[in-house]
Amino acid sequence: MRWTDQVSGVELIYYLAPRPGAPAERFVQAFEMRWYLPVELTHLLTRAGFHISAMYGDFTRTPLVDGAPELVVCAEPA
């Protein structure tokens, strides 16, 4: 994890069997993922002409608190 630019290295690993009973082949896809803080998203969306109506901590609309698993933003054009 690179804290200064908020980037995490991520690996997506999955297995694919070419046919039933055949051994699965392992595939790894590595990529970098940038994560955003609520204040950053608020700033960027406001500058882009959006109004933020709500922010949630997950897709069941629980409050956004420290340690929430997701950051869900509801926004509409201003």
Side-chain angles (χ1 to χ4, degrees):
M1 181 172 302
R2 299 188 331 242
W3 291 100
T4 55
D5 57 358
Q6 297 170 209
V7 174
S8 298
V10 179
E11 282 189 349
L12 175 63
I13 302 171
Y14 57 98
Y15 298 87
L16 180 63
R19 61 186 181 284
E25 189 174 352
R26 183 177 187 257
F27 293 92
V28 179
Q29 182 178 9
F31 57 95
E32 292 183 338
M33 183 182 301
R34 168 83 158 76
W35 42 277
Y36 294 90
L37 300 174
V39 68
E40 289 176 296
L41 286 175
T42 300
H43 173 74
L44 293 171
L45 288 167
T46 301
R47 285 190 53 125
F50 286 87
H51 167 73
I52 296 175
S53 56
M55 286 184 145
Y56 301 108
D58 61 26
F59 288 98
T60 62
R61 298 182 179 181
T62 59
L64 178 61
V65 295
D66 194 27
E70 305 289 341
L71 174 54
V72 179
V73 180
C74 297
E76 55 195 38

